[in-house]
Amino acid sequence: MGAAEVISFEEARARKQWDALRHQLHARFDQWLDGLQEQLPEPELTLAQVTETVWNLRQALTGGLTEAIVEHAHRGEHTRQQSHCPQCDRLLKARAPVQRTVETLVGLVHLERPYFYCSACRVGLYPLAEVLGLSPGRTQLDVQKAAAKLVTEVPYDEAQRLFGDLTGVGVGSERMHTFTNHVAEGLTVLDVAPSRDAIERRIAEVAAGRFRRPVLVLGIDGAYVPTRPESARGRRPGQGRHRAKRALWRGQWRDAKGFRFYLMDGDRIVHVLSWHQVQNEAQLGEALKQVKEAGLIPEEQVRLCVVCDGAEWIWKHVQALFPQARQVLDYYHCKEYLHRVAKVHYGASVQALEWVEATLTRLYLGKVGLVLGGLQRMQAQSDEAAKAIANCWDYLDAHRGRTAYRKLRRGGYPLGSGGIESSNKFICHARLKRSGAWWYEINSNQMLALRCAKYNGTFDQVFARHQQRLRKA
Ligand SMILES: [Zn+2]
């Protein structure tokens, strides 16, 4: 007898177990076939009729198979007679089993599990629920996660319709709202940020085959979000006696301040980390500080660069946290100042356009000194022109050290803040600015946090945190 033919006791037992499970699964399948036979229409079926029938019955099959596997894997738990109290360790006797049905993406799963109760500690427990890692409530985490993914893309009502159509699991938009609130509750920048390892991997991919360290850009900017005041809460639909003719509150456009780290890979941008919230400058600074202090940015592996418009508060944070970073004044923002000068000085004329082009070219070539000198020599014809020229001069002079555009271009640095502007668009605007949508601040920030997680590639991480919190509770 060859060694290969020797089957260990463990293997034999495992095979026997598997055979038993197969048997149970076949029985479930047979049950399902009975249902199918009833539902399947007459012969000469079209493919669409077949797929529709199978589609409608599929969760009865997959849910049933899941049930059989769970029963088999935890058969000891189903018939468990005794358990210890988690608090006083007293030995408890099983009470009558309790039925519970949970909803999963593969269908309904019915569970029957024994209940234990310690009358001394007044603690009840279901050991099976714990081994299975069940979420409290009927809807399990896979459903919650899929729903959360969907509502970060489309409005709740639409999400409800799509979700039912595509998964066959009915979840109301109110419940989707509740899951989303729970998952996103209290998320901070560190909860949605990728790990240092993940960031280093992205950097290494861009750095591969290159002589110089890649440029990592930090962009900081604000995007407008339509918000509604807390006072708009109160009557819910159906509670009011009259249909409101108009809203009793006034919507407000608030500034969602955000930052984004991204890598320059030639003309391509490689996203690293975004964090956008309706928040003030100090809160943004605090979030940036958390990223810095958590050591997420491997500064020695990149050439760090910060691109912004002129806002003083931004430079203050940058200077304090990343003093080594190359600072770039958004080139396209300078353009606005120059256009303003040209308009009031030359009026709508060819001369105005020529002046703007020539001045922008000088700036592009890094000759900010020439531009400042030129502005100084301009003879303003009106107070308005004098003011625009002085404004422009002050602006460029204050940031002259950030306008070495020629050198910056050669170094592969970006000249404009397009990277943060596009994240304003795909993180904030794409979901929050929709017709008729006015957000409570807390909801807008939770949605923004989830959308940041999505683009940062940390949605699973956010769900792992959620699961952990559920377990603790
Ligand atoms: Zn006890």
Side-chain angles (χ1 to χ4, degrees):
M1 196 163 82
E5 286 162 30
V6 176
I7 295 177
S8 69
F9 177 65
E10 281 75 21
E11 278 173 308
R13 198 170 58 175
R15 190 180 288 180
K16 211 175 137 199
Q17 289 301 337
W18 174 240
D19 285 343
L21 175 58
R22 274 178 79 108
H23 217 75
Q24 289 157 15
L25 292 173
H26 278 298
R28 292 281 181 156
F29 186 57
D30 276 334
Q31 271 174 29
W32 184 77
L33 288 177
D34 293 341
L36 181 69
Q37 194 179 12
E38 277 169 33
Q39 303 266 326
L40 214 52
E42 288 309 294
E44 298 193 21
L45 295 166
T46 63
L47 177 61
Q49 286 172 315
V50 179
T51 54
E52 194 190 334
T53 311
V54 174
W55 178 260
N56 289 336
L57 295 175
R58 76 198 189 284
Q59 286 183 329
L61 176 64
T62 49
L65 297 183
T66 306
E67 239 169 65
I69 296 170
V70 167
E71 269 171 27
H72 178 82
H74 299 289
R75 54 200 177 284
E77 293 295 339
H78 286 91
T79 52
R80 180 198 274 271
Q81 292 304 311
Q82 295 178 329
S83 189
H84 288 274
C85 170
Q87 286 186 14
C88 68
D89 205 38
R90 190 186 308 238
L91 195 62
L92 308 172
K93 273 181 75 179
R95 305 195 170 202
V98 181
Q99 300 276 352
R100 182 174 168 194
T101 301
V102 294
E103 195 166 25
T104 73
L105 278 182
V106 299
L108 297 178
V109 178
H110 305 284
L111 301 163
E112 197 187 73
R113 69 258 199 269
Y115 177 62
F116 296 86
Y117 185 79
C118 174
S119 47
C121 303
R122 297 188 175 173
V123 169
L125 71 148
Y126 294 102
L128 180 62
E130 275 167 43
V131 246
L132 285 176
L134 295 188
S135 311
R138 183 176 165 98
T139 312
Q140 294 304 294
L141 270 184
D142 58 345
V143 177
Q144 295 186 27
K145 191 170 176 178
K149 276 187 177 162
L150 194 56
V151 300
T152 52
E153 289 308 318
V154 300
Y156 284 96
D157 288 345
E158 206 175 317
Q160 173 183 344
R161 268 192 301 277
L162 281 175
F163 198 75
D165 286 353
L166 298 176
T167 65
V169 179
V171 182
S173 63
E174 286 281 321
R175 275 207 301 153
M176 287 192 175
H177 222 292
T178 311
F179 303 150
T180 311
N181 289 151
H182 284 167
V183 174
E185 200 184 353
L187 284 177
T188 68
V189 62
L190 295 185
D191 294 318
V192 305
S195 66
R196 165 130 180 168
D197 282 352
I199 292 176
E200 285 187 348
R201 276 196 299 277
R202 277 176 225 183
I203 292 171
E205 277 167 27
V206 173
R210 292 224 167 96
F211 175 65
R212 302 172 84 176
R213 286 170 295 156
V215 171
L216 179 68
V217 186
L218 167 59
I220 304 176
D221 197 10
Y224 282 110
V225 167
T227 65
R228 63 170 80 189
E230 278 303 306
S231 61
R233 287 191 203 272
R235 276 190 189 169
R236 308 190 71 98
Q239 283 181 310
R241 274 171 48 216
H242 306 287
R243 183 129 65 101
K245 289 191 183 70
R246 62 183 168 82
L248 297 171
W249 43 270
R250 188 188 283 270
Q252 196 189 359
W253 290 89
R254 303 267 310 271
D255 203 13
K257 291 185 168 51
F259 57 80
R260 181 188 189 193
F261 286 93
Y262 54 96
L263 289 156
M264 302 293 291
D265 185 9
D267 287 338
R268 206 170 65 99
I269 277 178
V270 177
H271 180 75
V272 173
L273 197 183
S274 261
W275 179 245
H276 298 255
Q277 293 278 278
V278 173
Q279 59 185 342
N280 61 34
E281 294 156 11
Q283 289 167 318
L284 179 133
E286 185 50 41
L288 204 52
K289 192 170 158 208
Q290 287 180 28
V291 170
K292 163 84 183 184
E293 286 175 354
L296 295 182
I297 307 298
E299 290 173 63
E300 67 295 341
Q301 295 170 25
V302 292
R303 288 177 290 146
L304 188 61
C305 151
V306 183
V307 196
C308 299
D309 59 24
E312 237 1 272
W313 63 272
I314 296 179
W315 298 114
K316 203 182 72 198
H317 291 313
V318 167
Q319 193 61 44
L321 296 172
F322 302 103
Q324 309 297 331
R326 178 69 61 107
Q327 299 184 359
V328 182
L329 181 69
D330 179 25
Y331 176 74
Y332 305 94
H333 208 76
C334 298
K335 226 169 163 170
E336 286 171 32
Y337 279 84
L338 297 179
H339 274 292
R340 171 87 191 128
V341 168
K343 197 180 155 201
V344 294
H345 190 73
Y346 297 105
S349 63
V350 177
Q351 221 186 342
L353 288 177
E354 283 174 355
W355 181 81
V356 171
E357 293 231 330
T359 311
L360 275 175
T361 308
R362 280 191 199 114
L363 264 184
Y364 197 66
L365 294 173
K367 299 189 191 297
V368 68
L370 283 181
V371 173
L372 285 167
L375 283 169
Q376 219 159 20
R377 282 192 301 277
M378 280 173 115
Q379 306 280 329
Q381 304 296 314
S382 66
D383 286 351
E384 204 190 359
K387 209 174 142 203
I389 293 169
N391 267 346
C392 186
W393 193 90
D394 288 345
Y395 180 74
L396 288 176
D397 184 58
H399 300 292
R400 62 186 301 167
R402 301 171 177 136
T403 60
Y405 295 121
R406 184 187 166 88
K407 253 174 85 181
L408 290 165
R409 266 185 300 126
R410 281 211 230 116
Y413 293 98
L415 306 191
S417 52
I420 177 74
E421 279 151 25
S422 73
S423 93
N424 275 336
K425 210 175 287 170
F426 65 73
I427 291 182
C428 307
H429 297 163
R431 176 70 182 89
L432 277 81
K433 266 170 122 175
R434 302 182 82 112
S435 56
W438 294 90
W439 298 77
Y440 290 112
E441 183 181 317
I442 183 165
N443 291 346
S444 67
N445 278 346
Q446 289 181 344
M447 183 55 74
L448 286 170
L450 288 177
R451 289 186 60 78
C452 288
K454 172 189 163 159
Y455 287 99
N456 294 346
T458 54
F459 213 84
D460 289 344
Q461 176 179 316
V462 164
F463 254 85
R465 164 191 178 268
H466 176 53
Q467 204 165 8
Q468 241 169 23
R469 293 170 76 219
L470 283 178
R471 218 164 268 161
K472 268 184 207 153

